[in-house]
Amino acid sequence: MTVGFVSRDLVETREPARTLVELSDLTKTYGPTCANDRVSLTIARGEIIGLVGGNGAGKSTLMRMLSGETAPDSGTITFSGKQPAAGGRYHAGEAQSRGIRIVHQELSLCDNLTVAENFYLEAPEGANGMPGWRGIYRDRARAALEAVFPNAGVNVDEQVSNLSIAVRQMVEIARALTAPGAEIVILDEPTSSLALDRSQQLRAYLRRRAAEGLAFIFISHKLHEIMDVASRVVVMRNGRVVWEGETGEASVARLVSLMGGDASLKARREREAAPETGPGRPMVRLTGRMRENKSDEIILHAGEIVGLAGLEGSGQRDLLHGIFSGSRDAGVALERGVTASFVSGDRQREGVFPLWNVLENISVTRIAGCSGLSLVNRREEIAAAMPAAERIRLDTGRFRSGILDLSGGNQQKALVARALACDAPVILLDDPTRGVDVAAKQDFYAVVAEIARAGRLVIWYSTEDLEFLECDRVLVFSHGRINRELTGDAIGEKAIVDASFERAGDGKEGAARTAQQTHSRAAERLVESAPFVSLAVVLAAMAWANPTSLSPFGLDLLLSPALSLVLVALGQMFIIGGSEIDLGAGAFAGVINVLSATILVGQPGLGVLSIAALLVIYAGLGALIQARRIPAIVVTLGASFIWLGIGYTLQPTPGGSSPEWLTAIFSVSFPLVPTSIVFILVTGLIAWFVNRTPVGVALRAFGNNPQAMARGGWSPIRYATIRYLFSGLFILAAGLSLTAINTASDINSGNSYTLLSVAAVVIGGCSLFGGRISPVGVVAGAITLSLIGALLGMLNVNSDYNAAVQGLLLLVILAFRALVARGGEDE
Amino acid sequence: MTRRNASFSLADWTARNRWIWPAVGVLILWAVLSVVTSRFSLQSLSGVAMSSSFLLLVGLGQMLVITTGRGNIDLSISSVLTLSAYLALILIHGSNAMLIPGLLAIVAMGVAIGLVNAALVVLFRIQAIIATLATGYVLATGYVVANRYIPGFNIAPALHLVATQRVAGVPIIVIVALLATAATAFILNRTAYGRSLSAVGQNLRAARLAGVRTGWVIGIAFVASSTIAALTGVLLGAYIGGAFLEMGQPYLLQSIGAVVLGGTLIFGGSATALGTLFGSVLLILIVTTMQIAGLPPGTQDVIQGLVIIVVLALAGGLSLRRAGKASRTPTDAGASPAEEGVSD
């Protein structure tokens, strides 16, 4: 095997000056599947290459190799006119520096950031000139959007999550196309959500930039767009380039047949030769919501293969899941006793159990149907799986192999065997042949036909229109409804495409989402205002219970214990921003409390040194968690024992004293305003400011979309370390404040802050799933929690109940939020 | 070639039987202790066995929760344990007659707490750590209050017998723990529930689509965990002859530690009861060793924390390799470049 990365100053090609990069004989295999088989491609300046091919043809693999995300097994990538960078091996960073940019099919924006901040992530080097760095990116974003999509009117200060899918795609495209240093831009299905006029604007822009010398690779299933914009077309099929030529020599029809239209047609003819039987008994009725005309009912029978067609995301999957769960509100009614089993093409996420062997993967559905304590017997298991496996020609000798050792096609067979091994008469297929090679696909089609003949109902959603030729009946979806029903000879690619687009009227796509969006925005506002409302309520209750508590002196007295919690909570906020939780936060504050009240008093030098050492260890935990991908909860819980242990060793019983300078700092008095309020405001401001610096933006981006960040060349380990460092600094300050305020130390003084800090962050409106951070809310939440203790005291409630009240409050808020956001996040 | 196969199958065997590592650890540590101290005998071994038994019991419950996957951990265990020890003092009040109704009430409490945890996690989709951390806090108030009402440190004779006596030289509590381990192992390996639990822990979405009743499976794990913790609290109270506020504290980290040391995957999907047994013994042996060595309590805490972190960091590599293997299947479009680099 030769993996080479060569760079030559002069390349002997037809037009040496224009060639940018030459891919030759690139091969990449994944297990038994050859994703790319000796693929060669030359990309020259000023070209727009239209790259087409069916799903699994190898386009994405080729592009990932070009952009350095995947290393080829063999073959070379040769750049012309530039010296190779040091280090030899070709990787994503190298591709980036050579001007390769990619617009991913799955969007890589961080939706918790503004449009302008997302532009920063693409090209961070412009932010050197602090402050005012935002202005640079705001201007850049505005200019980029205006250049590519004139008059789009996108607000660059809007958070991406508030934008429609179409606008997000526009931002993503504009960001990659205008990135400084871009030479070759790969656009993977860029127009899938764009309205027609925006797509035209994009194509016009591409032509203009190509004339200036940029090169583009345009991947799309919309063949008429390829014909419109490309200067050259490359057709891939089964991991090979099967045709390459000027656009003038191609036509949509020709491209379709090159992509592999014929093969499936043949299969269909074979199938039709099979003996026809009458319709079986009815099994599923589709009513109401699914139909434009509500009285129309579609009845699906046993023995049928029913295809669900239409543009991706038009409601086909909703129907499958509706049938699976038997829920009536999806417009589905199952006949009595009818159950369904589900076979997903997204095997990794929805199909296989990676720790199990093939046999266990097959039997899971049958076994899950039994009552919990019924016994599992190996012999019975094999006996039940054997007929199913034999029927679909899955090698039963491989029952004991790990499921992941099988090829994609065989894994798929195992999943079908799982469905067959139980008695469910309806089999739901969710794009089942994704990532399966062509030979295995033909095999699979035959299996499906046989299953239907044996009397089951097969409902088949596919993203490959050609697969519908295998069906007896096709329901074409558009905007969540069944728009057309095709049967027999009427089933054809053209008819399906026509019906999918019939009501499409490109622009409407955004409208369907707005209702859902206004709902989520109202919920968001509710979450945002929660900390301030609860703070106001608590303050009002205190004023009612004891009017003097709101005097400047009273406030100072009440709020000075709150400062430490505010600091720990702000530290916790950074960790939760990375969707982790620090269970050692309170203990860390405690150990700093002890250190600063003992060693720091007697030997300031050693004290500073040891505190710094602890901080380094704390930040190191972040790196360890990230590098080994281990759960932060257990690591920080383990660390909490280390902090407590150190504290006990230094000071077995409470005691110590505060260094004079520390006491002095915390007892500075300000005119008019109570000291504690000033301190709380200052710490809140610092956290707010950190959050808005470029580093803070990057941290939030990691919390939201770590995969996209890693793809963009950001180092996860470095930012995990920085995250824990920031957090550690805030908690360190909390420990010092404990020393100064109590003028003594106790290793247990911080313990209660662990839960309270999590609660404060949650009340403060931050998401436990990372990325959404609100320093001001956290400060308000922390003050509220800390005042609740004082309020209970005023109301003569025993302080023993504090923990219960605070714990219940946290649960109530979380439960309430779960109800508000119902249906939002799923696992 | 054959040699390579032999070594491969050994690696395969240890990967499937991860309990072997803590077992080897126990043997080595015991051997070292016997040689170094010469006082360390079968006598002290039985002390270790008794302490391990309490840890093993709560560890088994914790193991079920961890196996439900996605970082689920039951942090309320220590509070349940303490609270039930206090309730035993109040309800049973040292009389055999009150033993059965008292135990029933405590078991009911354990089930109720488990149901609350399960509802928070399954219905309200609150992360398990946060939900159980919060319920643990609420329960802590419960035992702080209960502390004011205990009538005295009387233990029912029958309970005292179970917690402290021996049958043929073997402490009854050890037999109880071993039986519980065997039962758990049986459920995990031989029943439909065990299969479903593993499926849920490996891949929740896939489990639901394969027809597993995921909510029930997860809920039962939480109920089992807090019920076992409640019963263990009663036994532990009987063993130490009372109850005190911090009695549950060590079990928070140690229950997780025993499970992780035992080779159960921290990300869920694969559990080993035998491993948790050896993990518990190993952890208690480590603590005993530190006590024999005369290390101060603070240092003991530090070392326990370190052991957990180091074992996790090492085991993290195990699941990484699994993930790496998974990412080489053709379905995965986004295999990370780092792992690709390792693979060729």
Side-chain angles (χ1 to χ4, degrees), chain A residues 89-105:
Chain A
R89 204 189 156 84
Y90 186 60
H91 56 84
E94 173 77 39
Q96 191 91 10
S97 69
R98 292 201 177 262
I100 295 178
R101 300 287 182 275
I102 188 161
V103 179
H104 281 279
Q105 199 172 349

Side-chain angles (χ1 to χ4, degrees), chain A residues 28 30-33 64 68-73 89 92 321 324 341-342 344-345 347-357 360 363-378 381 400 404-408 411 418 434-435 579 581 583 621 624 627-631 633-635 637-639 641-646 648-649 751-756 758 762 768-769 798 800-808 810-811 814-816 818-819 822-827, chain B residues 16 18 70-73 75 116 120 122-127 129-135 137-142 144-145 148-149 186-187 189-200 202-213 249-254 256-257 260 265-270 296-306 308-310 312-320 322-323 325-341 343-344:
Chain A
K28 179 74 196 175
Y30 291 103
T33 318
R64 279 208 305 276
E69 284 173 36
T70 299
D73 296 339
R89 204 189 156 84
H321 286 273
F324 180 69
S341 51
F342 202 102
S344 170
R347 290 177 289 278
Q348 197 131 334
R349 283 184 61 224
E350 304 187 326
V352 301
F353 298 101
L355 299 175
W356 279 351
N357 64 27
E360 288 161 329
S363 13
V364 60
T365 298
R366 189 183 61 84
I367 290 173
C370 307
S371 75
L373 286 178
S374 51
L375 300 188
V376 174
N377 176 320
R378 191 52 64 145
E381 203 177 345
R400 294 195 178 273
L404 296 183
D405 296 337
L406 264 57
S407 68
Q411 285 183 21
R418 178 193 294 170
R434 197 195 304 184
S579 63
I581 288 172
L583 287 183
L621 285 179
L624 180 74
R628 303 296 297 166
R629 296 193 208 164
I630 43 184
I633 326 151
V634 188
V635 173
L637 183 64
F641 274 68
I642 297 180
W643 310 140
L644 291 177
I646 294 174
Y648 274 123
T649 309
N751 285 355
S752 65
Y753 289 141
T754 302
L755 175 90
L756 288 178
V758 175
V762 168
L768 287 174
F769 297 97
N798 191 303
D800 288 347
Y801 292 99
N802 278 1
V805 171
Q806 287 156 342
L808 280 176
L810 173 62
L811 287 177
L814 278 172
F816 176 69
L819 289 178
R822 178 133 282 192
E825 289 142 295
D826 190 29
E827 286 117 49
Chain B
R16 287 195 167 274
R18 290 185 297 272
R70 294 177 305 151
N72 285 356
I73 288 175
L75 293 178
V116 169
L120 292 171
V122 174
L123 298 181
F124 293 101
R125 295 192 193 159
I126 298 174
Q127 279 178 331
I129 17 162
I130 301 214
T132 55
L133 186 66
T135 48
Y137 259 69
V138 177
L139 295 174
T141 294
V144 168
V145 173
R148 291 193 227 130
Y149 299 102
F186 181 79
I187 288 173
N189 298 321
R190 293 271 177 274
T191 66
Y193 178 76
R195 276 294 174 86
S196 302
L197 181 67
S198 171
V200 166
Q202 290 180 62
N203 191 338
L204 184 67
R205 277 177 76 92
R208 203 181 46 227
L209 291 174
V212 177
R213 283 157 291 181
Q249 220 41 263
Y251 292 93
L252 180 63
L253 182 69
Q254 286 186 351
I256 303 170
V260 173
L265 295 187
I266 189 72
F267 289 107
S270 172
T299 316
Q300 292 184 24
D301 280 347
V302 172
I303 291 178
Q304 276 193 59
L306 276 178
I308 306 287
I309 294 178
V310 168
L312 257 184
L314 292 177
L318 195 101
S319 38
L320 260 189
R322 268 282 167 197
K325 204 172 177 183
S327 74
R328 281 201 298 280
T329 59
T331 45
D332 182 78
S336 83
E339 270 157 27
E340 292 290 337
S343 68
D344 55 17

Side-chain angles (χ1 to χ4, degrees), chain A residues 454-746:
Chain A
R456 300 203 197 203
L457 166 62
V458 178
I459 303 178
W460 186 348
Y461 163 58
S462 176
T463 52
E464 277 179 70
D465 290 344
L466 289 171
E467 291 191 335
F468 294 119
L469 299 175
E470 308 294 325
C471 300
D472 301 311
R473 187 149 46 134
V474 176
L475 310 176
V476 186
F477 280 71
S478 170
H479 296 271
R481 296 243 165 83
I482 298 167
N483 193 33
R484 184 66 65 84
E485 189 181 346
L486 305 170
T487 48
D489 290 337
I491 300 172
E493 202 182 12
K494 188 171 180 315
I496 291 166
V497 172
D498 287 350
S500 337
F501 280 100
E502 225 159 60
R503 286 178 0 132
D506 281 275
K508 283 188 196 162
E509 213 144 332
R513 294 175 187 274
T514 40
Q516 190 194 340
Q517 241 163 36
T518 41
H519 171 73
S520 73
R521 257 175 108 179
E524 207 170 283
R525 231 167 263 144
L526 202 65
V527 168
E528 272 166 19
S529 62
F532 308 104
V533 172
S534 41
L535 180 57
V537 169
V538 171
L539 282 176
M542 296 186 86
W544 171 77
N546 183 355
T548 57
S549 60
L550 290 192
S551 68
F553 177 72
L555 271 182
D556 194 26
L557 211 62
L558 284 170
L559 289 181
S560 58
L563 176 61
S564 308
L565 177 58
V566 167
L567 282 164
V568 180
L570 288 172
Q572 187 75 265
M573 176 187 79
F574 283 100
I575 305 287
I576 289 182
S579 63
E580 288 170 359
I581 288 172
D582 183 359
L583 287 183
F588 191 64
V591 76
I592 297 292
N593 177 214
V594 168
L595 266 176
S596 58
T598 53
I599 301 183
L600 194 62
V601 182
Q603 300 148 280
L606 185 64
V608 169
L609 215 63
S610 50
I611 289 178
L614 282 190
L615 188 63
V616 168
I617 297 175
Y618 189 87
L621 285 179
L624 180 74
I625 289 166
Q626 181 63 41
R628 303 296 297 166
R629 296 193 208 164
I630 43 184
I633 326 151
V634 188
V635 173
T636 52
L637 183 64
S640 76
F641 274 68
I642 297 180
W643 310 140
L644 291 177
I646 294 174
Y648 274 123
T649 309
L650 287 173
Q651 191 193 47
T653 51
S657 61
S658 172
E660 275 166 32
W661 57 268
L662 192 62
T663 318
I665 291 178
F666 279 85
S667 50
V668 176
S669 65
F670 302 90
L672 299 174
V673 197
T675 310
S676 54
I677 292 187
V678 173
F679 270 97
I680 289 173
L681 287 180
V682 167
T683 48
L685 263 176
I686 292 174
W688 179 82
F689 178 75
V690 168
N691 210 22
R692 284 177 61 85
T693 59
V695 178
V697 170
L699 285 179
R700 275 186 285 151
F702 263 109
N704 180 262
N705 197 342
Q707 295 84 12
M709 291 297 281
R711 266 204 313 252
W714 297 77
S715 157
I717 294 184
R718 181 188 307 158
Y719 278 88
T721 315
I722 292 175
R723 183 187 301 287
Y724 276 79
L725 185 66
F726 281 176
S727 164
L729 280 169
F730 275 100
I731 302 177
L732 191 153
L736 293 179
S737 76
L738 281 173
T739 307
I741 293 166
N742 302 338
T743 60
S745 64
D746 173 3

Side-chain angles (χ1 to χ4, degrees), chain A residues 241-503:
Chain A
V241 172
V242 291
W243 190 82
E244 194 176 347
E246 300 297 317
T247 312
E249 301 164 27
S251 69
V252 171
R254 178 143 189 231
L255 292 180
V256 168
S257 86
L258 283 165
M259 282 160 62
D262 312 338
S264 309
L265 280 172
K266 202 174 102 225
R268 169 145 185 92
R269 261 175 245 120
E270 276 167 18
R271 220 180 87 65
E272 270 170 349
E276 290 281 337
T277 48
R281 72 180 178 99
M283 290 202 161
V284 178
R285 291 169 200 278
L286 307 178
T287 54
R289 275 189 27 170
M290 282 288 159
R291 297 290 289 170
E292 188 87 303
N293 182 350
K294 306 234 179 216
S295 59
D296 262 0
E297 196 182 54
I298 296 178
I299 302 172
L300 310 180
H301 305 271
E304 272 191 302
I305 304 177
V306 180
L308 309 180
L311 296 179
E312 235 175 307
S314 299
Q316 302 96 316
R317 281 212 165 92
D318 299 338
L319 176 60
L320 286 184
H321 286 273
I323 296 175
F324 180 69
S325 59
S327 75
R328 285 196 163 267
D329 48 313
V332 176
L334 300 184
E335 292 296 316
R336 186 179 294 275
V338 170
T339 53
S341 51
F342 202 102
V343 179
S344 170
D346 189 351
R347 290 177 289 278
Q348 197 131 334
R349 283 184 61 224
E350 304 187 326
V352 301
F353 298 101
L355 299 175
W356 279 351
N357 64 27
V358 176
L359 178 62
E360 288 161 329
N361 264 285
I362 292 176
S363 13
V364 60
T365 298
R366 189 183 61 84
I367 290 173
C370 307
S371 75
L373 286 178
S374 51
L375 300 188
V376 174
N377 176 320
R378 191 52 64 145
R379 208 176 310 143
E380 232 172 66
E381 203 177 345
I382 293 175
M386 201 64 102
E390 276 168 357
R391 225 160 92 207
I392 60 172
R393 294 181 288 281
L394 175 70
D395 182 6
T396 53
R398 300 205 64 179
F399 271 2
R400 294 195 178 273
S401 312
I403 185 80
L404 296 183
D405 296 337
L406 264 57
S407 68
N410 277 332
Q411 285 183 21
Q412 200 58 52
K413 279 189 177 179
L415 296 190
V416 175
R418 178 193 294 170
L420 291 179
C422 71
D423 315 316
V426 181
I427 295 192
L428 307 167
L429 304 176
D430 181 354
D431 204 10
T433 59
R434 197 195 304 184
V436 173
D437 64 75
V438 162
K441 269 183 194 170
Q442 296 299 340
D443 220 19
F444 182 79
Y445 299 152
V447 165
V448 172
E450 207 179 302
I451 293 170
R453 259 204 303 279
R456 300 203 197 203
L457 166 62
V458 178
I459 303 178
W460 186 348
Y461 163 58
S462 176
T463 52
E464 277 179 70
D465 290 344
L466 289 171
E467 291 191 335
F468 294 119
L469 299 175
E470 308 294 325
C471 300
D472 301 311
R473 187 149 46 134
V474 176
L475 310 176
V476 186
F477 280 71
S478 170
H479 296 271
R481 296 243 165 83
I482 298 167
N483 193 33
R484 184 66 65 84
E485 189 181 346
L486 305 170
T487 48
D489 290 337
I491 300 172
E493 202 182 12
K494 188 171 180 315
I496 291 166
V497 172
D498 287 350
S500 337
F501 280 100
E502 225 159 60
R503 286 178 0 132

